Amino acid sequence: MTIEKALVVGTGLIGTSVALALRERGVAVYLSDVDARAVRLAGDLGAGREWTGEEADLALIAVPPHLVGERLADLQRRGAARVYTDVASVKVDPIADAERLGCDLSSYVPGHPLAGRERSGPSAARADLFLGRPWAICPGAETAADAVRLTRELVSSCGARAVTVEAAEHDAAVALVSHAPHVVASAMAASLAGGDDVALGLSGQGLRDVTRIAAGDPLLWRRILAGNAQPVAGVLDRIAGDLAAAASALRSGDLDEVTDLLRRGVAGHGRIPGPRGAKAG
């Protein structure tokens, strides 16, 4: 079994980028979205054509996390594909929804590509969005081996590298490396609202780097954070403790404690892999 026909449900940034990557591989791609305009725009970009009920080898569900289970149940009732996967950035809750709704878990491979942009919608999509990026897959005990294999083929076709991880471990991991950083960037960016024109006129690339991801859609991020609230809160508590300690040390003139934080920051930064998973230089 190989991917010759794929269905992409949700033609936002991620769904349309997957569709574009598959089209470059010669895969026939069908597009579906509750927003007809998004489907038309994705089609105009060359991502595929509107789905009219054709059966696909694989269906990719690219909708917000709280809708994944509902979409999966509906697609399976319609016999839309042989294998189903999703791209939601949290995994525990969508899997629980799928179980509650009686979905066939043998054909469902929960997934999450660790790639994105601060822009959203099909117009921001890129066929190379996933090149060299990790793509988590979280098969359960019931997941069929053929479903995992086809999902891994999808990941490879997009130029990403599959990383198999348990769902709860995934959610804890993305709290640290994705979700909490977004909140931290937003807090820094929010502080700029009170800055005067002179201060902002002096801003440089460092500030842009720190706040770039804060430009993401707040309503989308609200749903993401709601689905991973406790792990994210734990990370933010630790970061808030470091910042509070640094502020107190600066007030008292204890620069040793601040220096310790800076050194730990250098060490942590050194652990971030390079763009293709290589050790950072």
Side-chain angles (χ1 to χ4, degrees), residues 89-113:
S89 61
V90 292
K91 298 271 66 86
V92 171
D93 283 357
I95 293 170
D97 288 343
E99 292 176 342
R100 177 177 54 81
L101 293 169
C103 296
D104 172 17
L105 300 183
S106 68
S107 63
Y108 170 46
V109 184
H112 175 211

Side-chain angles (χ1 to χ4, degrees), residues 2-278:
T2 188
I3 303 175
E4 296 180 356
K5 296 181 292 184
L7 167 62
V8 172
V9 179
T11 50
L13 167 65
I14 299 298
T16 303
S17 294
V18 170
L20 290 170
L22 291 177
R23 289 296 301 130
E24 287 192 348
R25 294 295 189 102
V27 177
V29 178
Y30 307 111
L31 307 170
S32 175
D33 199 300
V34 293
D35 184 347
R37 292 173 299 177
V39 171
R40 286 195 296 271
L41 178 54
D44 290 344
L45 292 171
R49 63 183 180 86
E50 185 174 3
W51 183 50
T52 57
E54 296 88 346
E55 182 181 355
D57 300 306
L58 181 142
L60 179 98
I61 303 170
V63 301
H66 69 290
L67 296 176
V68 169
E70 175 186 315
R71 292 289 189 276
L72 175 62
D74 178 64
L75 290 168
Q76 288 186 338
R77 281 194 297 268
R78 301 171 69 172
R82 291 181 285 174
V83 172
Y84 304 83
T85 188
D86 73 288
V87 296
S89 61
V90 292
K91 298 271 66 86
V92 171
D93 283 357
I95 293 170
D97 288 343
E99 292 176 342
R100 177 177 54 81
L101 293 169
C103 296
D104 172 17
L105 300 183
S106 68
S107 63
Y108 170 46
V109 184
H112 175 211
L114 276 297
R117 304 180 69 187
E118 62 274 18
R119 296 170 55 203
S120 59
S123 61
R126 295 169 40 173
D128 64 353
L129 184 67
F130 310 102
L131 288 181
R133 302 301 303 166
W135 188 313
I137 58 172
C138 307
E142 300 178 51
T143 311
D146 279 348
V148 174
R149 187 186 62 76
L150 205 64
T151 301
R152 294 181 71 91
E153 182 184 324
L154 167 71
V155 173
S156 177
S157 295
C158 291
R161 54 185 178 87
V163 179
T164 302
V165 61
E166 194 272 334
E169 184 181 7
H170 165 275
D171 287 4
V174 295
L176 176 64
V177 302
S178 176
H179 299 167
H182 191 95
V183 178
V184 172
S186 296
M188 184 64 236
S191 73
L192 302 176
D196 59 33
D197 291 344
V198 173
L200 292 173
L202 294 173
S203 61
Q205 190 59 46
L207 182 65
R208 295 184 184 92
D209 289 344
V210 169
T211 60
R212 177 184 61 81
I213 57 176
D217 181 355
L219 294 180
L220 172 62
W221 273 96
R222 172 179 172 167
R223 290 191 286 262
I224 291 171
L225 294 170
N228 204 22
Q230 296 307 313
V232 175
V235 177
L236 292 178
D237 281 340
R238 295 194 296 273
I239 295 171
D242 273 339
L243 293 177
S248 177
L250 287 169
R251 290 191 182 96
S252 68
D254 179 10
L255 294 185
D256 287 344
E257 184 163 352
V258 178
T259 303
D260 176 66
L261 175 60
L262 297 175
R263 285 173 174 157
R264 286 190 286 124
V266 171
H269 180 269
R271 295 198 64 200
I272 301 174
R276 294 186 179 273

